[in-house]
């Protein structure tokens, strides 16, 4: 799902004439949605645990999955000033 959200920004940038202009927003969207989807999977454990789905929280536990979800979100925060700093 994260790649789908990010790719839509790349497609829009391509249609606008400069795919390079969409790289930074696409990376931000990817990291944001990746962290969010892991958190949403944690919230869905009671429902998905009854089926055959093997989501990250089911495999490694809620606490570890929450720590994993913090990584892309922390990267998002750390990388957010980069486009400004390099003049994009």
């Amino acid at each position: 799902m994260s790649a789908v959200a990010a790719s839509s920004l790349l497609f829009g940038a391509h249609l606008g004439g400069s795919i390079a202009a969409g790289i930074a927003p696409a990376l931000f969207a990817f990291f944001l949605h990746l962290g969010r989807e892991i958190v949403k999977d944690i919230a869905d454990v009671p429902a998905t645990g009854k089926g055959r789905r093997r989501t990250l929280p089911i495999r490694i536990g809620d606490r570890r999955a929450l720590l994993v979800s913090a990584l892309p979100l922390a990267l998002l925060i750390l990388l957010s000033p980069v486009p400004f700093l390099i003049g994009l």
Side-chain angles (χ1 to χ4, degrees):
M1 188 56 94
S2 303
V4 172
S7 67
S8 65
L9 294 168
L10 291 174
F11 291 139
H14 176 67
L15 290 174
S18 174
I19 197 164
I23 293 174
L27 283 173
F28 291 167
F30 179 81
F31 289 131
L32 176 70
H33 286 281
L34 180 60
R36 179 189 175 278
E37 287 298 322
I38 295 170
V39 171
K40 294 299 287 178
D41 279 346
I42 294 169
D44 293 340
V45 165
T48 57
K50 295 177 183 176
R52 294 184 179 194
R53 293 187 60 204
R54 300 289 297 163
T55 62
L56 186 67
I58 291 172
R59 290 181 183 188
I60 67 172
D62 292 352
R63 190 168 184 81
R64 286 185 181 160
L66 193 58
L67 291 173
V68 170
S69 74
L71 293 174
L73 296 173
L75 276 174
L76 174 64
I77 292 167
L78 292 173
L79 293 176
S80 63
V82 170
F84 173 76
L85 295 173
I86 63 173
L88 288 179

Coordinates of all heavy atoms in Angstrom, one line a residue:
M1 N 0.8 -1.2 0.0 CA 0.0 0.0 0.0 C 0.9 1.3 0.0 O 0.5 2.2 -0.6 CB -0.9 0.0 1.2 CG -1.9 1.1 1.2 SD -3.0 1.1 -0.3 CE -4.4 0.2 0.3
S2 N 2.0 1.2 0.7 CA 2.9 2.4 0.7 C 3.4 2.7 -0.7 O 3.5 3.9 -1.0 CB 4.1 2.1 1.6 OG 3.6 1.8 2.9
A3 N 3.8 1.7 -1.4 CA 4.3 1.9 -2.8 C 3.2 2.5 -3.7 O 3.5 3.3 -4.5 CB 4.9 0.6 -3.3
V4 N 2.0 2.1 -3.5 CA 0.9 2.6 -4.3 C 0.7 4.1 -4.0 O 0.5 4.9 -5.0 CB -0.4 1.8 -4.1 CG1 -1.6 2.4 -4.8 CG2 -0.2 0.4 -4.5
A5 N 0.7 4.4 -2.8 CA 0.6 5.9 -2.4 C 1.7 6.7 -3.0 O 1.5 7.8 -3.5 CB 0.5 6.0 -0.9
A6 N 2.9 6.2 -2.9 CA 4.1 6.9 -3.4 C 4.1 7.0 -4.9 O 4.4 8.0 -5.5 CB 5.4 6.2 -2.9
S7 N 3.7 5.9 -5.6 CA 3.7 5.9 -7.0 C 2.7 6.9 -7.6 O 3.0 7.4 -8.7 CB 3.5 4.5 -7.6 OG 2.1 4.1 -7.3
S8 N 1.6 7.2 -7.0 CA 0.7 8.1 -7.5 C 1.3 9.5 -7.6 O 1.0 10.3 -8.6 CB -0.6 8.2 -6.7 OG -0.3 8.7 -5.4
L9 N 2.2 9.9 -6.7 CA 2.9 11.1 -6.7 C 3.9 11.2 -7.9 O 4.1 12.2 -8.5 CB 3.6 11.5 -5.4 CG 2.6 11.7 -4.3 CD1 3.3 11.7 -2.9 CD2 1.8 13.0 -4.5
L10 N 4.6 10.0 -8.1 CA 5.5 10.0 -9.2 C 4.8 10.1 -10.6 O 5.3 10.7 -11.5 CB 6.3 8.7 -9.2 CG 7.3 8.6 -8.0 CD1 7.9 7.2 -8.0 CD2 8.4 9.6 -8.1
F11 N 3.6 9.4 -10.7 CA 2.8 9.5 -11.9 C 2.4 10.9 -12.2 O 2.4 11.4 -13.3 CB 1.6 8.6 -11.9 CG 2.0 7.1 -11.9 CD1 1.3 6.2 -11.1 CD2 3.0 6.6 -12.8 CE1 1.6 4.9 -11.2 CE2 3.3 5.3 -12.8 CZ 2.6 4.4 -12.0
G12 N 1.9 11.6 -11.1 CA 1.5 13.0 -11.2 C 2.7 13.9 -11.6 O 2.5 14.8 -12.5
A13 N 3.9 13.7 -11.1 CA 5.0 14.5 -11.5 C 5.4 14.2 -12.9 O 5.8 15.1 -13.6 CB 6.2 14.2 -10.5
H14 N 5.3 12.9 -13.3 CA 5.6 12.6 -14.7 C 4.6 13.3 -15.7 O 5.1 13.8 -16.7 CB 5.5 11.1 -14.9 CG 5.7 10.6 -16.3 ND1 6.9 10.8 -17.0 CD2 4.9 10.1 -17.2 CE1 6.8 10.3 -18.2 NE2 5.5 9.8 -18.3
L15 N 3.4 13.3 -15.3 CA 2.4 14.0 -16.2 C 2.6 15.5 -16.2 O 2.4 16.2 -17.2 CB 1.0 13.8 -15.7 CG 0.5 12.3 -15.9 CD1 -0.9 12.1 -15.3 CD2 0.4 12.0 -17.4
G16 N 3.2 16.1 -15.1 CA 3.5 17.5 -15.0 C 4.8 17.8 -15.8 O 5.2 19.0 -15.9
G17 N 5.5 16.8 -16.2 CA 6.7 17.1 -17.0 C 8.1 16.9 -16.3 O 9.1 17.0 -16.9
S18 N 8.1 16.6 -15.0 CA 9.3 16.4 -14.3 C 9.2 15.4 -13.2 O 8.7 15.7 -12.1 CB 9.8 17.7 -13.7 OG 10.9 17.5 -12.9
I19 N 9.5 14.1 -13.6 CA 9.4 13.0 -12.6 C 10.3 13.3 -11.4 O 10.0 12.9 -10.2 CB 9.7 11.7 -13.2 CG1 9.1 10.6 -12.3 CG2 11.1 11.5 -13.5 CD1 9.0 9.2 -13.0
A20 N 11.4 14.0 -11.6 CA 12.3 14.3 -10.5 C 11.7 15.1 -9.4 O 12.0 15.0 -8.2 CB 13.6 15.0 -11.0
A21 N 10.7 16.0 -9.8 CA 10.0 16.8 -8.8 C 9.1 16.0 -7.9 O 8.8 16.5 -6.8 CB 9.2 17.9 -9.5
G22 N 8.8 14.8 -8.3 CA 7.9 13.9 -7.4 C 8.7 13.0 -6.5 O 8.1 12.3 -5.7
I23 N 10.0 12.9 -6.6 CA 10.7 11.9 -5.8 C 10.7 12.2 -4.3 O 10.4 11.3 -3.5 CB 12.2 11.9 -6.3 CG1 12.2 11.3 -7.7 CG2 13.1 11.0 -5.3 CD1 13.6 11.3 -8.3
A24 N 10.9 13.4 -3.9 CA 10.9 13.8 -2.5 C 9.4 13.6 -1.9 O 9.3 12.9 -0.9 CB 11.3 15.2 -2.2
P25 N 8.4 14.1 -2.5 CA 7.1 13.8 -2.0 C 6.7 12.3 -2.0 O 6.0 11.8 -1.1 CB 6.1 14.6 -2.9 CG 6.9 15.6 -3.6 CD 8.3 15.0 -3.6
A26 N 7.2 11.6 -3.0 CA 6.9 10.2 -3.0 C 7.6 9.4 -1.9 O 7.0 8.5 -1.3 CB 7.3 9.6 -4.4
L27 N 8.8 9.8 -1.6 CA 9.5 9.2 -0.5 C 8.8 9.5 0.9 O 8.7 8.6 1.7 CB 11.0 9.6 -0.4 CG 11.9 9.0 -1.4 CD1 13.3 9.7 -1.3 CD2 12.1 7.5 -1.1
F28 N 8.4 10.7 1.0 CA 7.7 11.1 2.2 C 6.4 10.3 2.3 O 6.0 9.8 3.4 CB 7.4 12.6 2.2 CG 8.6 13.5 2.4 CD1 8.5 14.8 2.2 CD2 9.8 12.9 2.8 CE1 9.6 15.7 2.4 CE2 10.9 13.7 2.9 CZ 10.8 15.1 2.7
A29 N 5.7 10.2 1.3 CA 4.4 9.4 1.3 C 4.7 8.0 1.6 O 3.9 7.3 2.4 CB 3.7 9.6 -0.1
F30 N 5.7 7.4 1.0 CA 6.1 6.0 1.3 C 6.3 5.8 2.8 O 5.7 4.9 3.4 CB 7.3 5.6 0.5 CG 7.7 4.2 0.7 CD1 7.0 3.1 0.1 CD2 8.7 3.9 1.6 CE1 7.4 1.8 0.3 CE2 9.1 2.6 1.8 CZ 8.4 1.5 1.2
F31 N 7.2 6.6 3.4 CA 7.5 6.4 4.8 C 6.3 6.6 5.7 O 6.1 5.9 6.7 CB 8.7 7.3 5.2 CG 10.0 6.9 4.6 CD1 10.8 7.8 4.0 CD2 10.4 5.6 4.7 CE1 12.0 7.5 3.5 CE2 11.7 5.2 4.2 CZ 12.5 6.2 3.6
L32 N 5.5 7.7 5.4 CA 4.3 7.9 6.2 C 3.3 6.8 6.1 O 2.8 6.3 7.2 CB 3.6 9.2 5.6 CG 2.3 9.6 6.3 CD1 2.6 10.0 7.8 CD2 1.6 10.7 5.6
H33 N 3.0 6.3 4.9 CA 2.1 5.2 4.8 C 2.6 3.9 5.3 O 1.8 3.1 5.9 CB 1.6 5.1 3.3 CG 0.7 6.2 2.9 ND1 -0.6 6.2 3.2 CD2 0.9 7.3 2.2 CE1 -1.2 7.3 2.7 NE2 -0.2 8.0 2.1
L34 N 3.9 3.6 5.2 CA 4.5 2.4 5.8 C 4.3 2.4 7.3 O 3.8 1.4 7.8 CB 5.9 2.3 5.4 CG 6.6 1.0 5.9 CD1 6.0 -0.2 5.3 CD2 8.1 1.1 5.5
G35 N 4.7 3.5 8.0 CA 4.5 3.5 9.4 C 3.1 3.4 9.8 O 2.7 2.7 10.8
R36 N 2.2 4.1 9.1 CA 0.8 4.1 9.4 C 0.2 2.7 9.2 O -0.7 2.3 10.0 CB 0.0 5.1 8.5 CG -1.4 5.2 8.7 CD -2.1 6.0 7.7 NE -3.6 6.0 7.8 CZ -4.4 5.0 7.4 NH1 -3.8 4.0 6.8 NH2 -5.7 5.1 7.6
E37 N 0.5 2.0 8.1 CA -0.1 0.7 7.9 C 0.4 -0.3 9.0 O -0.5 -1.1 9.3 CB 0.4 0.2 6.5 CG -0.3 0.9 5.4 CD -1.9 0.7 5.4 OE1 -2.3 -0.4 5.7 OE2 -2.6 1.7 5.1
I38 N 1.6 -0.2 9.4 CA 2.0 -1.1 10.5 C 1.2 -0.8 11.8 O 0.7 -1.8 12.4 CB 3.5 -1.0 10.8 CG1 4.3 -1.5 9.6 CG2 3.9 -1.8 12.0 CD1 5.8 -1.2 9.6
V39 N 1.0 0.5 12.1 CA 0.2 0.8 13.3 C -1.3 0.3 13.1 O -1.9 -0.2 14.0 CB 0.2 2.3 13.5 CG1 -0.8 2.8 14.6 CG2 1.6 2.8 13.9
K40 N -1.8 0.5 11.9 CA -3.2 0.0 11.6 C -3.3 -1.5 11.7 O -4.3 -2.0 12.2 CB -3.7 0.5 10.3 CG -3.8 2.0 10.1 CD -4.8 2.6 11.1 CE -6.2 2.2 10.7 NZ -7.3 2.7 11.6
D41 N -2.2 -2.2 11.3 CA -2.2 -3.7 11.5 C -2.2 -4.1 13.0 O -2.8 -5.1 13.3 CB -1.0 -4.3 10.8 CG -1.1 -4.4 9.3 OD1 -2.3 -4.3 8.8 OD2 -0.1 -4.6 8.6
I42 N -1.5 -3.3 13.8 CA -1.6 -3.6 15.2 C -3.0 -3.5 15.8 O -3.4 -4.3 16.5 CB -0.6 -2.6 16.0 CG1 0.8 -2.9 15.6 CG2 -0.8 -2.8 17.5 CD1 1.8 -1.9 16.1
A43 N -3.7 -2.4 15.3 CA -5.1 -2.2 15.8 C -6.0 -3.3 15.3 O -7.0 -3.6 15.9 CB -5.6 -0.9 15.3
D44 N -5.6 -3.9 14.1 CA -6.5 -5.0 13.5 C -6.2 -6.4 14.0 O -6.8 -7.3 13.5 CB -6.4 -4.9 12.0 CG -7.0 -3.6 11.5 OD1 -7.8 -3.0 12.2 OD2 -6.7 -3.3 10.3
V45 N -5.2 -6.6 14.9 CA -4.8 -7.9 15.3 C -6.0 -8.8 15.8 O -6.0 -9.9 15.4 CB -3.7 -7.8 16.4 CG1 -3.5 -9.2 17.1 CG2 -2.4 -7.4 15.7
P46 N -6.9 -8.2 16.6 CA -8.0 -9.1 17.1 C -8.8 -9.7 15.9 O -9.2 -10.9 15.9 CB -8.8 -8.2 17.9 CG -7.9 -7.2 18.4 CD -6.9 -6.9 17.3
A47 N -9.0 -8.9 14.9 CA -9.8 -9.4 13.7 C -9.0 -10.3 12.8 O -9.4 -11.3 12.3 CB -10.4 -8.2 13.0
T48 N -7.7 -9.9 12.5 CA -6.9 -10.7 11.6 C -6.3 -11.9 12.2 O -6.0 -12.9 11.5 CB -5.8 -9.8 11.0 OG1 -5.0 -9.3 12.1 CG2 -6.3 -8.7 10.1
G49 N -6.2 -11.9 13.5 CA -5.7 -13.1 14.2 C -6.6 -14.3 14.1 O -6.2 -15.5 14.2
K50 N -7.9 -14.1 13.8 CA -8.9 -15.2 13.7 C -8.8 -15.9 12.3 O -9.1 -17.0 12.2 CB -10.3 -14.7 13.9 CG -10.5 -14.2 15.3 CD -11.9 -13.6 15.4 CE -12.1 -13.0 16.8 NZ -13.4 -12.4 17.0
G51 N -8.2 -15.1 11.3 CA -8.1 -15.7 10.0 C -6.7 -16.3 9.8 O -6.0 -16.6 10.7
R52 N -6.4 -16.4 8.5 CA -5.1 -17.0 8.2 C -4.0 -15.9 7.8 O -2.9 -16.3 7.4 CB -5.2 -17.9 7.0 CG -6.0 -19.1 7.3 CD -6.1 -20.1 6.2 NE -6.9 -21.2 6.5 CZ -6.9 -22.3 5.9 NH1 -6.2 -22.4 4.8 NH2 -7.6 -23.4 6.3
R53 N -4.3 -14.7 8.0 CA -3.4 -13.6 7.6 C -2.2 -13.6 8.6 O -2.4 -13.8 9.8 CB -4.1 -12.3 7.6 CG -5.1 -12.2 6.5 CD -5.6 -10.8 6.3 NE -4.6 -9.8 6.1 CZ -4.7 -8.6 6.3 NH1 -5.7 -8.1 6.9 NH2 -3.7 -7.8 6.0
R54 N -1.0 -13.4 8.1 CA 0.2 -13.4 9.0 C 0.8 -12.0 8.9 O 1.8 -11.8 8.2 CB 1.2 -14.4 8.6 CG 0.6 -15.9 8.7 CD 0.5 -16.3 10.1 NE 1.8 -16.4 10.7 CZ 1.9 -16.4 12.0 NH1 0.9 -16.4 12.8 NH2 3.1 -16.4 12.5
T55 N 0.2 -11.0 9.5 CA 0.7 -9.6 9.5 C 1.9 -9.5 10.4 O 2.2 -10.4 11.2 CB -0.4 -8.6 9.9 OG1 -0.8 -8.9 11.3 CG2 -1.6 -8.7 9.0
L56 N 2.6 -8.4 10.3 CA 3.8 -8.2 11.1 C 3.5 -8.3 12.6 O 4.2 -8.9 13.3 CB 4.5 -6.9 10.7 CG 5.8 -6.5 11.4 CD1 6.9 -7.5 10.9 CD2 6.2 -5.1 11.1
P57 N 2.5 -7.6 13.1 CA 2.2 -7.7 14.5 C 1.9 -9.1 15.0 O 2.2 -9.5 16.1 CB 1.0 -6.8 14.7 CG 1.0 -5.9 13.6 CD 1.6 -6.6 12.4
I58 N 1.3 -9.9 14.1 CA 1.0 -11.3 14.5 C 2.3 -12.1 14.6 O 2.5 -12.9 15.4 CB -0.1 -11.9 13.6 CG1 -1.4 -11.2 13.8 CG2 -0.2 -13.4 13.8 CD1 -2.5 -11.6 12.7
R59 N 3.2 -11.8 13.6 CA 4.4 -12.6 13.6 C 5.4 -12.2 14.7 O 6.0 -13.1 15.3 CB 5.1 -12.4 12.3 CG 4.4 -13.0 11.1 CD 5.2 -12.8 9.8 NE 4.4 -13.4 8.7 CZ 4.9 -13.5 7.5 NH1 6.0 -13.0 7.2 NH2 4.1 -14.1 6.6
I60 N 5.6 -10.9 15.0 CA 6.6 -10.5 15.9 C 6.0 -9.9 17.2 O 6.8 -9.6 18.1 CB 7.6 -9.5 15.3 CG1 6.9 -8.2 14.9 CG2 8.3 -10.1 14.1 CD1 7.9 -7.1 14.5
G61 N 4.8 -9.7 17.3 CA 4.1 -9.1 18.5 C 3.9 -7.6 18.3 O 4.6 -6.9 17.5
D62 N 2.9 -7.1 19.1 CA 2.5 -5.7 19.0 C 3.6 -4.8 19.4 O 3.8 -3.8 18.7 CB 1.3 -5.5 19.9 CG 0.0 -6.2 19.4 OD1 0.1 -6.8 18.3 OD2 -0.9 -6.2 20.2
R63 N 4.3 -5.0 20.4 CA 5.3 -4.1 20.9 C 6.5 -3.9 19.9 O 6.9 -2.8 19.6 CB 5.8 -4.6 22.3 CG 6.7 -3.6 22.9 CD 6.9 -4.0 24.4 NE 7.7 -3.1 25.1 CZ 7.2 -1.9 25.7 NH1 5.9 -1.6 25.5 NH2 8.0 -1.1 26.4
R64 N 6.9 -5.1 19.4 CA 8.0 -5.0 18.4 C 7.5 -4.3 17.1 O 8.3 -3.6 16.4 CB 8.6 -6.4 18.1 CG 9.4 -6.9 19.2 CD 10.0 -8.2 18.8 NE 10.8 -8.8 19.9 CZ 11.1 -10.0 20.0 NH1 10.7 -10.9 19.1 NH2 11.9 -10.4 21.0
A65 N 6.3 -4.6 16.7 CA 5.8 -4.0 15.5 C 5.7 -2.5 15.6 O 5.9 -1.8 14.7 CB 4.4 -4.6 15.1
L66 N 5.3 -2.1 16.8 CA 5.2 -0.6 17.1 C 6.6 0.0 17.0 O 6.8 1.1 16.4 CB 4.7 -0.4 18.5 CG 4.2 1.0 18.8 CD1 3.2 1.5 17.8 CD2 3.7 1.1 20.2
L67 N 7.7 -0.7 17.4 CA 9.0 -0.2 17.3 C 9.4 -0.2 15.8 O 10.1 0.8 15.4 CB 10.0 -1.0 18.1 CG 9.9 -0.9 19.6 CD1 10.8 -2.0 20.3 CD2 10.2 0.5 20.1
V68 N 9.0 -1.2 15.1 CA 9.3 -1.2 13.6 C 8.6 0.0 12.9 O 9.2 0.6 12.0 CB 8.9 -2.6 13.0 CG1 9.0 -2.5 11.5 CG2 9.8 -3.7 13.6
S69 N 7.4 0.3 13.3 CA 6.6 1.3 12.7 C 7.3 2.7 13.0 O 7.1 3.6 12.2 CB 5.2 1.3 13.1 OG 5.0 1.8 14.5
A70 N 8.0 2.8 14.1 CA 8.6 4.1 14.4 C 9.8 4.4 13.5 O 10.1 5.6 13.3 CB 9.1 4.0 15.9
L71 N 10.4 3.4 12.9 CA 11.6 3.6 12.0 C 11.2 4.4 10.8 O 11.9 5.4 10.5 CB 12.2 2.3 11.6 CG 12.9 1.5 12.8 CD1 13.3 0.1 12.3 CD2 14.0 2.3 13.3
P72 N 10.2 4.0 10.0 CA 9.9 4.9 8.8 C 9.4 6.3 9.2 O 9.7 7.2 8.5 CB 8.9 4.1 8.0 CG 8.4 3.0 8.9 CD 9.4 2.8 10.0
L73 N 8.7 6.3 10.3 CA 8.2 7.6 10.7 C 9.3 8.5 11.2 O 9.3 9.7 11.0 CB 7.1 7.5 11.8 CG 5.9 6.7 11.4 CD1 5.0 6.4 12.5 CD2 5.2 7.5 10.3
A74 N 10.3 8.0 11.9 CA 11.5 8.7 12.3 C 12.3 9.2 11.1 O 12.8 10.3 11.0 CB 12.4 7.9 13.2
L75 N 12.4 8.3 10.1 CA 13.1 8.7 8.8 C 12.4 9.8 8.2 O 13.0 10.7 7.6 CB 13.2 7.5 7.9 CG 14.3 6.5 8.1 CD1 14.2 5.3 7.2 CD2 15.7 7.2 7.8
L76 N 11.1 9.8 8.2 CA 10.3 10.9 7.6 C 10.6 12.2 8.2 O 10.8 13.2 7.6 CB 8.8 10.5 7.7 CG 7.8 11.6 7.3 CD1 8.0 11.9 5.8 CD2 6.4 11.2 7.6
I77 N 10.7 12.2 9.6 CA 11.0 13.4 10.3 C 12.4 13.9 10.0 O 12.6 15.1 9.8 CB 10.7 13.2 11.8 CG1 9.3 13.0 12.1 CG2 11.3 14.4 12.6 CD1 9.0 12.5 13.5
L78 N 13.3 13.0 10.0 CA 14.7 13.3 9.8 C 15.0 13.8 8.4 O 15.8 14.7 8.1 CB 15.6 12.1 10.1 CG 15.7 11.7 11.6 CD1 16.5 10.4 11.7 CD2 16.3 12.8 12.4
L79 N 14.3 13.3 7.4 CA 14.5 13.6 6.0 C 13.7 14.8 5.6 O 13.9 15.4 4.5 CB 14.2 12.5 5.1 CG 15.1 11.3 5.2 CD1 14.6 10.1 4.3 CD2 16.5 11.7 4.8
S80 N 12.7 15.3 6.4 CA 11.8 16.3 5.9 C 12.5 17.7 5.6 O 12.1 18.3 4.7 CB 10.7 16.6 7.0 OG 11.2 17.0 8.2
P81 N 13.6 18.0 6.2 CA 14.2 19.3 5.8 C 15.2 19.2 4.6 O 15.6 20.2 4.1 CB 15.0 19.7 7.1 CG 15.3 18.5 7.8 CD 14.1 17.6 7.5
V82 N 15.4 18.0 4.2 CA 16.4 17.8 3.1 C 16.0 18.5 1.8 O 16.9 19.1 1.2 CB 16.7 16.2 2.9 CG1 17.5 16.0 1.6 CG2 17.4 15.7 4.1
P83 N 14.8 18.4 1.3 CA 14.5 19.1 0.1 C 14.7 20.6 0.2 O 15.2 21.2 -0.8 CB 13.0 18.8 -0.1 CG 12.7 17.5 0.6 CD 13.6 17.5 1.8
F84 N 14.4 21.2 1.3 CA 14.6 22.6 1.5 C 16.1 22.9 1.5 O 16.6 23.8 0.9 CB 14.0 23.1 2.8 CG 14.4 24.5 3.2 CD1 13.8 25.5 2.5 CD2 15.3 24.7 4.1 CE1 14.1 26.8 2.8 CE2 15.7 26.0 4.5 CZ 15.1 27.1 3.8
L85 N 16.9 22.0 2.2 CA 18.3 22.3 2.3 C 19.1 22.1 1.0 O 20.1 22.8 0.7 CB 18.9 21.3 3.3 CG 18.5 21.6 4.8 CD1 19.0 20.5 5.7 CD2 18.9 22.9 5.2
I86 N 18.6 21.3 0.1 CA 19.2 21.1 -1.2 C 18.6 21.9 -2.3 O 19.0 21.8 -3.5 CB 19.3 19.6 -1.6 CG1 17.9 19.0 -1.8 CG2 20.1 18.8 -0.6 CD1 17.9 17.6 -2.4
G87 N 17.6 22.7 -1.9 CA 17.0 23.7 -2.9 C 15.9 23.2 -3.8 O 15.7 23.7 -4.8
L88 N 15.2 22.2 -3.4 CA 14.1 21.7 -4.2 C 12.8 22.5 -3.9 O 12.5 22.8 -2.8 CB 13.8 20.2 -3.9 CG 14.9 19.2 -4.4 CD1 14.5 17.8 -4.1 CD2 15.0 19.4 -6.0

